[in-house]
Amino acid sequence: MAPPTVSYESFAPRSAEQIARLRRLEALTAGPVRIDKQQPKNESSWTMADAMSVNTSDSKISLSSDTTTMSRAYKTCDQVTTVLKHSTSLRLALRASINICDDISNRHAELLRHSGELSASADRLQAEEAQLNQHATEIGLPLRHYDAVDRIGILVGVLFRGTRVVRGLAKVKVDHEEYPELLLEIDEAVDFFGRECGGPLALEEAIKTSRRKPAGGGGANNNAFMLSGSMEYYRRSLDLQEAALYLIQEAVVDRMIQTSNDISQSLHLNKHQVVAADKLEASLIYTRFHGISARSNRLIRLLTGNKNTKGQYQQHADHNDAYHTLLTLCRTTYCTHREKLMKLTVRAHMDKLKDQHGLVGMTRIASVFLIRLCTVETQLYLDFFGEHAAVSNDDTTATAETTPTESTTTTITVVDTNSSIINHVEFQTYLNNLCSALHRTVRRGLVAVHDLDTLCQIVSVLREERGQASSSPITMSAARSISSVIEDAQERLIFCANTSLQKEVIRFRASAEDLDYPNKLLKQQQQQPVSQNNQQDDPVQRQLQIYESWFPPMRSVLKILSKIFRVVEPRVFEDIARESIQACARSLKEGSLVILQRSSSQMHADLFLVKHLLILREQLSPFDMDLRSVERQLDFSDAGKAVSRFLANRNRQLFSMSTENALVTLLREGVSVQVQNVDSKRDLEDALRSACNDFIDHTSQSLLMMPSSSSQLPTVLKK
């Protein structure tokens, strides 16, 4: 009896995936599995033993399954073989590719090495080429300058005959386009030969040496050296530069002179004829100069260092004496001939304004005229010497259509660009000479003016105009002229004020009517009711009546100080006020003494002094001033004793360079400086305090000396 078959399914049941995998394994390997007849043939009853046992009953089915399996196996084997061959071919192709890549990498490295060598060789060749070009340039540079000197001489009208220079007519014109480049070549030749031979000093020394040598062999050798060396070509290049610049001088300087002479003859300015001020800007004095300004500006810019139209030429006048000299000549010629044309006209206009409007009205109108004149002259000067023309001739229509604000902005921009040009010494001197006509005319009129009000008006008007003139750099010359006139007017005002103070305060002699106090006040009170009945109460008239009741010296001091307070310098005003207040206080004290002598009333004298001192202090309070000063005086009281000691000293050392020198000792012991602090306000307060105390003392004493009767006391107090 066979042992029972044990199934592991009961212990470890298989999952559906495991069963399906076993099915596939069965189909590929052992074929069908024998199934126990006693058990049902379901998918869940298959075991491993059944799967591995051979089923004899189903041999046919097994044979067909084996055939199918073998065909599938052969087919799979063929596929695997094909894949293996393809993989082998791929492996061989990959190895060949790797070999090719290695070969390409080696060739690339070799190419990089050769490229580096070629690049280094190319750099070396370029450096050698640059060196060769530099050497070629250095070799050809002197020849270029030699050729330029020999070639340009004919163009500028200069021929060299040995050491002699023959001048003729120039073939080139300054207006030609090639002239700037020609001038540049001459300048480069001058710089080159100057470096080679040592400059102007070496040339002068060589010329002096050749002149000192005799006319024998030494002179001939030196002459040959001068003709063949760089020294001779340096001299020739300087001659060429002088000839080229002379063409500019003819085109600019001579043209200015000729234009000025033509204008003088046309307007008869040589016969002291003048042009009306309202027609001045439209006259030939301006139109003819505006006509030559464009060409002159283009040529002057070649001297000042600006570029030409092609942007290839540049010259520095500050580093070249020839250019600087010619530029200075152009400025001097322009300013000199403009002054000749304008001087008489400006002076005549000033005199005319003085005759028509008087001195006060003339100052305002003349200041406005000078401000306009400086503006127009500056614009014309910039048309000649500026970097950019102030007003272009091509933009006349556009300028006429612009607004005044745009025109002012354009003028300010042009002035800012040419700020250094308008500050040239020659031009500023020219403007100062034109503006000095105001100072000349006003100064002659100030000498005859004695009225303080007129002088104060002149100073006030001129200060306003000076503020307007100082706001722009164009009109600074007018501002300086107005300032000088203000100084003269202030000087005249101070002189007249001091004269009035001397006459009305210091040297004042009071009359009986001036010191008729208190009758003067009583008469004023009696007149007030009559005036009130006739007309309405006028505060100004009442104030004038009060003002007339003041003591004349004090009235004069306050009047003069109120007039000059705003028109003189603060320090000058304080000095005048200090002296006038001191003199007024002394005059008031003297007046009180005179009242005491005439009326024999101490009370009236004290009240007069107290009243006027109070008024003086009250009227001085609006003036913001400091009436303090330090006075220094030399004291010679000990000079006699010092001289006696000096003469008595037998061993005095006159030439000793120390503090023991006898002369130094004499000055130190014989002369001393006394310093005294003066405060007029404090002195005024002290005088007022003293006057009040004296009034109180005198009044108290008078009351005590009166009869003690009570019936008379009210009468005394009423008085």
Side-chain angles (χ1 to χ4, degrees), residues 132-142:
L132 291 175
N133 291 331
Q134 183 179 359
H135 288 308
T137 304
E138 292 177 355
I139 293 173
L141 183 62

Side-chain angles (χ1 to χ4, degrees), residues 285-416:
I285 297 178
Y286 283 97
T287 56
R288 291 291 298 275
F289 270 82
H290 276 297
I292 65 173
S293 61
R295 181 170 180 261
S296 299
N297 179 263
R298 184 174 63 255
L299 297 178
I300 289 174
R301 288 175 62 184
L302 298 178
L303 307 177
T304 56
N306 297 318
K307 295 182 179 180
N308 63 353
T309 56
K310 296 181 179 180
Q312 299 175 352
Y313 177 77
Q314 188 174 5
Q315 184 57 243
H316 301 279
D318 296 336
H319 304 285
N320 195 313
D321 294 337
Y323 283 87
H324 181 71
T325 303
L326 180 56
L327 184 60
T328 304
L329 178 61
C330 294
R331 294 171 182 168
T332 305
T333 304
Y334 173 86
C335 296
T336 302
H337 287 80
R338 288 294 301 175
E339 184 177 355
K340 290 180 180 179
L341 295 175
M342 298 289 296
K343 190 173 183 179
L344 294 177
T345 300
V346 175
R347 287 187 177 182
H349 183 60
M350 295 296 171
D351 295 337
K352 181 180 178 181
L353 292 177
K354 180 184 175 183
D355 297 337
Q356 291 180 350
H357 303 280
L359 198 59
V360 178
M362 172 260 181
T363 52
R364 184 179 297 278
I365 301 175
S367 300
V368 175
F369 172 74
L370 288 182
I371 292 174
R372 177 59 184 171
L373 182 64
C374 291
T375 303
V376 175
E377 285 294 327
T378 302
Q379 291 178 354
L380 182 60
Y381 185 77
L382 292 179
D383 287 345
F384 277 86
F385 299 94
E387 295 181 1
H388 302 284
V391 179
S392 177
N393 295 330
D394 298 335
D395 299 337
T396 304
T397 305
T399 305
E401 296 176 356
T402 56
T403 61
T405 304
E406 295 175 352
S407 178
T408 304
T409 305
T410 304
T411 303
I412 294 174
T413 304
V414 172
V415 171
D416 292 339

